[in-house]
Amino acid sequence: GGLSGGELQRLAVAAALAREPALLIADEVTTMVDQGGRDALMSVLSGLTQRHRTSLVHITHYNDEADSADRVINLTGYGAFADNTETVETAAAPSATAPIRPHSDAPVLELVGVSHEYGSGMPWATMALRDINFVVHEGDGVLIHGLNGSGKSTLAWIMAGLTVPTSGSCLLDGAPASDQVGAVALSFQAARLQLLRSRVDLEVASAAGFSVHDGDRVAAALATVGL
């Protein structure tokens, strides 16, 4: 529960390999991993077929990861993306757009001394962020860069008001972001968590607008469509 997305991805690969499978299908396992972790994963995968009695099918966006493969199969897709096989290596960065002229000198978002600790007071307490300070003005484009487990997602949740920092303040238009949940949109690293709830009854109740505790209404709604 305390691992970042990239750390979870590496753990998932380790769990699959621990079973000593005859075939490992690695479906974009390096996508959410930082460069160091990607290099480590590739060193494991590239030598897998030589060191173990395991075959490997590696699915990836990165062309350079195919260098150690015995055979490469390109799936070019259809429509607008039919010729995208070289995209990852050759795509240029988009040109900068003209900055938006702010309507106010006041920052839209301001983080002052933000620190966050998971499991505070427990033996397994972990400091995710320490003394983060920056401001975002209207029209700014800000890049937050860091390794897996460096606290990027925690910081995003704090800025969206979904997590209250252990210390310091995150202000949206001068007021705590945690008091304005919904004012900031958040796109999750794992899109499935954003698009689907974990259980069917939660999904049905949310879409229909009634309480998740009203099991009879959930059952009736499902029965209406033969489920």
Side-chain angles (χ1 to χ4, degrees), residues 25 27 73 122 150 154 165 179 219:
I25 300 176
D27 187 6
I73 300 172
M122 303 296 180
S150 60
T154 299
D179 294 341

Side-chain angles (χ1 to χ4, degrees), residues 87-127:
T87 298
V88 172
E89 288 184 345
T90 62
S95 57
T97 56
I100 298 173
R101 189 169 185 174
H103 295 134
S104 170
D105 292 333
V108 175
L109 190 72
E110 183 176 11
L111 280 77
V112 182
V114 168
S115 298
H116 193 71
E117 182 181 57
Y118 288 105
S120 295
M122 303 296 180
W124 51 83
T126 303
M127 185 65 72

Side-chain angles (χ1 to χ4, degrees), residues 58-74:
H58 180 48
I59 302 168
T60 181
H61 287 294
Y62 299 101
N63 295 326
D64 59 340
E65 291 183 1
D67 292 343
S68 60
D70 298 317
R71 185 157 53 103
V72 176
I73 300 172
N74 284 322

Side-chain angles (χ1 to χ4, degrees), residues 128-207:
L129 295 169
R130 192 186 305 274
D131 197 27
I132 304 298
N133 298 274
F134 66 87
V135 297
V136 180
H137 289 89
E138 183 179 2
D140 280 354
V142 179
L143 172 67
I144 295 173
H145 179 270
L147 301 177
N148 292 143
S150 60
K152 300 185 300 295
S153 295
T154 299
L155 183 59
W157 281 64
I158 289 174
M159 291 189 289
L162 299 174
T163 296
V164 179
T166 305
S167 62
S169 59
C170 177
L171 304 177
L172 177 65
D173 291 328
S178 56
D179 294 341
Q180 307 175 69
V181 174
V184 175
L186 176 64
S187 178
F188 290 0
Q189 183 179 34
R192 186 174 289 106
L193 298 177
Q194 185 160 354
L195 299 175
L196 298 172
R197 293 183 181 271
S198 58
R199 300 201 322 244
V200 173
D201 59 342
L202 299 177
E203 192 76 53
V204 171
S206 176

Side-chain angles (χ1 to χ4, degrees), residues 16 19-25 48-49 52-57:
R19 300 176 62 185
E20 299 182 356
L23 169 66
L24 174 67
I25 300 176
L48 191 63
T49 57
H52 303 277
R53 297 180 63 183
T54 299
S55 300
L56 171 68
V57 174

